[in-house]
Amino acid sequence: MEYEFLRDVTGLVKVRMSMGHEVVGHWFNEEVKDNPGLLDEVEQAMASVKGSERQWQSIGHEYTLWLDGEEVIIRANQLEISGDEMEEGMSYYDEESLSFCGVEDFLQVMNAYREFLQQR
């Protein structure tokens, strides 16, 4: 999972992610930009579910982050599709709306994001 942090002309941090993980960048750009404390909350949740069968989720304005001891899933809230709307045997996946990654990889991106925020 490759990523890049940029600042726009106003100084706002933008995250760009590699193909297949774009929604991770969108999550940072939409959910974390006005609430950097969310990163602490996610990190605490990671520690609380590690080595257990527990799960945790954070429902934001645009994206929901779900995690367990091994995996992080970020899904656009607009992806609320019930099984009745799908044809039998079909599954829905949109790279711009759903992403999966390992907890350690996600933690690495969170830490790099924090470091980037401290640079001015």
Side-chain angles (χ1 to χ4, degrees), residues 17 22 33 55 57 67 103 118 120:
M17 301 297 294
E22 296 96 339
K33 73 175 179 183
Q55 301 170 351
Q57 75 174 2
L67 63 88
V103 168
Q118 292 175 355
R120 273 276 173 189

Side-chain angles (χ1 to χ4, degrees), residues 9-24:
V9 293
T10 66
L12 188 66
V13 174
K14 295 289 184 185
V15 180
R16 287 191 193 159
M17 301 297 294
S18 58
M19 195 166 162
H21 293 99
E22 296 96 339
V23 76
V24 175

